[in-house]
Amino acid sequence: MGFTHIEFLPVAEHPYDPSWGYQTTGLYAPTARFGAPEAFARFVDRAHRAQIGIILDWVPAHFPTDAHGLANFDGTALYEHADPRQGFHPDWNTAIYNFGRREVASFLVNNAMFWAEKYHVDGLRVDAVASMLYRDYSRKQGEWVPNVHGGRENLEAVAFLQTANKSVYGANPGFAMIAEESTSWPAVTKPVHEGGLGFGFKWNMGFMHDTLAYMAREPVHRSHHHEDLTFGLLYAFSENFVLPLSHDEVVHGKGSLIAKMSGDDWQKFATLRAYYAFMWGYPGKKLLFMGQEFAQRAEWSEARGLDWDICRFPPHEGVKRLVADLNRAYRNKPALHARDCEPEGFSWSVVDDKRNSVFAFLRKAPGEKTVLVIANFTPVERPFYEAPVDSGGYWRELLNTDSTLYGGSGIGNLGGVDSRQGPDGGHRLTLTLPPLATLYFVRDT
C-alpha cells in the first residue's frame, strides 16, 4: 500500500491490557505478550529490509503505581516526587517522574537511546508532552506547585525533553522525535540551541479535531463552518507537523472514522475518500490508525483483531485502493511532500468559496511540477468550475476520489484540461467537480 512507516502503540512492558501500553512498568523491556526481545528485533530488521521504518510510542510522562513497578521503589519516592501535587497524575491515577533528579532524567534519556541503538527503531513519538510541560495540567488551584519563578511551566521537564532530543539526534542521524503536544507551547520543533524543545515533528491535534468536526456536519451546514478547513493554514508552518487521525478518535464511544462522516452510506464513503485526499494534499506528514485504511466500520478495541474480511466489499476495497494510490502520489510527486513544513510549498487557489464548500490549493517544490488539489464537500456536481493556477499548459487529472475504481460515480475531466489565460493575465482551469470528491491535477507541460 506504499506506507513508509509503522508506528506502534507502546511496546514496553505494561501490566494492564486495556491501557494499550500507556501504563508502562518496564521501559527497557519489549512486552512478552508478543514474544521474546529477539523476536521484536527480528521484526524491526525485516521491516527495514522491506524499506519500512519503525516508530514507537514512548511514555516518559507518567508511570503506574503497581507494587512491581518504580513507584516507592526503595521505600521512598525515588523516581517520583514525594509531594502528590508534583508526583501524582490525577487523569491516569499514576505517578509522575521527578525530571529534576539527574539519575531519573538519565534513566529516561538512556531509555530513548536504548530503543534507537539496541533495536534500531527509527523514531519515538513522545506521549502526553503537554502533561509534562505544565505543572497545573488537569489540576485545580491549590493542587499544584509553581516553579521557582512562580509560573506554571515545568522547567525540569523542559530541560529533560531538550536533553533527550539533543542526545538522541546527536547520536542517531536520521532518527525522528515526535511530540504529542496538544497546546500552543511555542517552538516545540525548533532546535534546542534556538530555544526550542528540539523535537523533529509535532502532532497537529487542531487539524484532526477541526477537520473531523467539519466532515461530521451535514453538507448543507458546511458553508457556515468553512473556517474549520482554512483556519489551520494560519499556523500550519509554525511547527513541523504530523497530521494524525489517531487511536483516541476511534475508541470509547466515538465510533470509527467512516461512522463519523455525515449522510447515507454512499455519502459517508465518498466523504471519507474526499477527506483522505484533502489530507494527503494538505501540508504535513500523514498518519492513519489501524483499520482506517479500509474504513473499518466497528469502533476499535484492543480485545479483537481488525475486520479485514470486509475488504471483500467494494466500498471498503475502494478506500483501501485509494489510500494506496494516495501514498504513491505523495511519494512520487515531490511537490506534495518536499515542502510540507515550509510556507513556500503552499498557496491557496480558492479559499473563500463558502457557498459551494469548495477548497483548492497548490503544492509546490523547487524544480518540480506543481500539483493542484481541489475538493468539493457537497453532494452536488459542479461543472464549469474555475480554479486559478500558477502557469499555463495542460493539467493532467492525477487522482479523482470519485473514480469508479474507488466506488465513486465516475464523474471527471476526461484525463485533464488545458488552462486558459484570463483578462488579468493569470491562468485558470475550467473543471468539472464531482460530488463529495477531491481531485489532484499536475501540470504536464
Side-chain angles (χ1 to χ4, degrees), residues 273 277 322 325-327 329 372 396-403 406 438-442:
R273 294 193 306 267
L322 171 67
D325 287 349
L326 286 170
N327 283 342
L372 169 71
R396 176 168 56 88
E397 190 177 271
L398 177 67
L399 183 139
N400 179 348
T401 66
D402 192 52
S403 166
Y406 310 133
T438 298
L439 297 84
Y440 292 181
F441 292 85
V442 60

Side-chain angles (χ1 to χ4, degrees), residues 390-444:
D390 62 354
S391 58
Y394 181 76
W395 289 70
R396 176 168 56 88
E397 190 177 271
L398 177 67
L399 183 139
N400 179 348
T401 66
D402 192 52
S403 166
T404 56
L405 288 171
Y406 310 133
S409 59
I411 296 170
N413 294 272
L414 301 176
V417 294
D418 285 302
S419 68
R420 63 177 184 81
Q421 198 163 13
D424 60 354
H427 299 276
R428 310 178 76 80
L429 303 183
T430 302
L431 304 170
T432 296
L433 303 186
L436 295 173
T438 298
L439 297 84
Y440 292 181
F441 292 85
V442 60
R443 186 176 59 83
D444 259 4

Side-chain angles (χ1 to χ4, degrees), residues 1-6 51-52 243 245 273 275-282 284-289 292-294 308 318-338 340 398-401 406 440:
M1 290 187 72
F3 285 99
T4 60
H5 292 75
I6 298 169
Q51 297 186 309
I52 296 172
L243 311 180
L245 295 178
R273 294 193 306 267
Y275 177 42
Y276 280 170
F278 177 86
M279 173 178 165
W280 257 247
Y282 193 99
K285 307 309 175 187
K286 331 300 175 188
L287 177 71
L288 294 184
F289 185 64
Q292 294 172 357
E293 73 275 30
F294 59 85
W308 288 106
V319 170
K320 184 166 172 278
R321 187 177 292 143
L322 171 67
V323 171
D325 287 349
L326 286 170
N327 283 342
R328 277 188 279 273
Y330 183 73
R331 295 179 75 167
N332 294 337
K333 299 296 178 188
L336 288 173
H337 68 253
D340 262 340
L398 177 67
L399 183 139
N400 179 348
T401 66
Y406 310 133
Y440 292 181

